[in-house]
Amino acid sequence: MFCKFLSNTYHFSYDNVKPCCWIKHTPETQINILDPDITGKLKTIRQVDDWIPECSYCHDLELAGTKSPRNAAEREGIFNNDDVLGDAIKVELQLDDNCNAACLMCGTWNSTTWQQYETKTLKSKMPSYRWKTTIEERINAVNNIIDFNKTKQVHFFGGEPFNSDTQLKMLRLINYPENVNLVYTTNGSVFPCAETWALWKNFKNVHIGIIIDGVGEQFNYLRWPLQWNQVENNLIKYINANYKNI
């Protein structure tokens, strides 16, 4: 298949689902998470066997001689030629904007701390056009759409995934964790709870990607109101945990 992200990935982001994180937002590529025919509506775009305008991000990178996310999909080791079109081999989840930071590169669309800050400083409520679905509706939608028995990787984004129990609720839905690799993108300031660690033991592999843009005062500035010592202490805890699959 032309691209495994297009053919076998689901990217859930709040109210919507796409076949890929990198694809352009269009009515054909971004479907409401409560739409009863998500699989059918994504089928057309999944069947492409050549470049389409919506894939310009990867196309332009490869045209310039640079590796693209499409190339990365080939190297991830979770896809194979026997995958059936539309099977959820990789699932990316951005269901909860609960976050304990107001990072300079982020904003109200992805952080409750930013939302609280703007509400307080601007003396106004957040705009009504924000997310129309609840976290529970998103979790239920994912559970209804995805057959986790075929899934090999689940990637959690935030917000901050360890700042709420949303990722825990999703982990409990996976029937065969021994076949699934977990990936987290986190700011590193929140250490996972005991139940998370207990569940992780059952998974094939857990990769924790901590985003560090700087250390010390530079970190404190970029990721206000977090403090570098929070992340530093958690890094030591991760190292000392010494789990074979993490």
Side-chain angles (χ1 to χ4, degrees), residues 7-54:
S7 62
N8 293 103
T9 298
Y10 287 79
H11 178 82
F12 292 88
S13 182
Y14 305 119
D15 288 350
N16 302 297
V17 57
K18 304 191 296 179
C20 167
C21 172
W22 307 95
I23 200 165
K24 281 187 177 179
H25 295 182
T26 69
E28 291 75 28
T29 64
Q30 183 167 268
I31 313 299
N32 185 278
I33 201 171
L34 300 182
D35 192 302
D37 189 32
I38 287 175
T39 302
K41 290 184 176 180
L42 290 179
K43 187 175 182 179
T44 300
I45 197 105
R46 291 193 186 284
Q47 292 175 323
V48 301
D49 57 4
D50 202 352
W51 293 111
I52 55 175
E54 292 85 350

Side-chain angles (χ1 to χ4, degrees), residues 10 12 76 78 88-95 142 146-148 150-157 167 170-171 173-174 177 179-185 200 203 205-207:
Y10 287 79
F12 292 88
E76 286 204 1
I78 59 173
I89 305 302
K90 179 171 183 171
V91 180
E92 299 176 332
L93 299 175
Q94 188 173 33
L95 305 179
V142 173
I146 300 300
D147 179 3
F148 281 110
K150 299 177 180 179
T151 301
K152 296 180 182 176
Q153 184 186 104
V154 177
H155 191 151
F156 291 98
F157 298 89
Q167 60 92 25
M170 293 306 310
L171 294 183
L173 297 176
I174 301 175
N179 299 326
V180 178
N181 295 298
L182 299 179
V183 181
Y184 290 84
T185 297
W200 280 353
F203 284 84
N205 189 40
V206 181
H207 177 85

Side-chain angles (χ1 to χ4, degrees), residues 16-122:
N16 302 297
V17 57
K18 304 191 296 179
C20 167
C21 172
W22 307 95
I23 200 165
K24 281 187 177 179
H25 295 182
T26 69
E28 291 75 28
T29 64
Q30 183 167 268
I31 313 299
N32 185 278
I33 201 171
L34 300 182
D35 192 302
D37 189 32
I38 287 175
T39 302
K41 290 184 176 180
L42 290 179
K43 187 175 182 179
T44 300
I45 197 105
R46 291 193 186 284
Q47 292 175 323
V48 301
D49 57 4
D50 202 352
W51 293 111
I52 55 175
E54 292 85 350
C55 295
S56 60
Y57 180 80
C58 286
H59 173 267
D60 292 349
L61 286 174
E62 293 185 31
L63 190 64
T66 304
K67 295 293 184 182
S68 73
R70 186 178 80 100
N71 302 135
E74 300 169 0
R75 300 193 303 270
E76 286 204 1
I78 59 173
F79 302 106
N80 60 59
N81 293 330
D82 298 327
D83 296 333
V84 176
L85 186 79
D87 280 356
I89 305 302
K90 179 171 183 171
V91 180
E92 299 176 332
L93 299 175
Q94 188 173 33
L95 305 179
D96 189 344
D97 57 3
N98 190 311
C99 187
N100 59 340
C103 303
L104 284 185
M105 69 293 294
C106 193
T108 56
W109 62 88
N110 216 28
S111 165
T112 49
T113 299
W114 260 119
Q115 294 163 25
Q116 293 161 8
Y117 175 78
E118 286 207 0
T119 299
K120 181 178 180 179
T121 56
L122 299 178

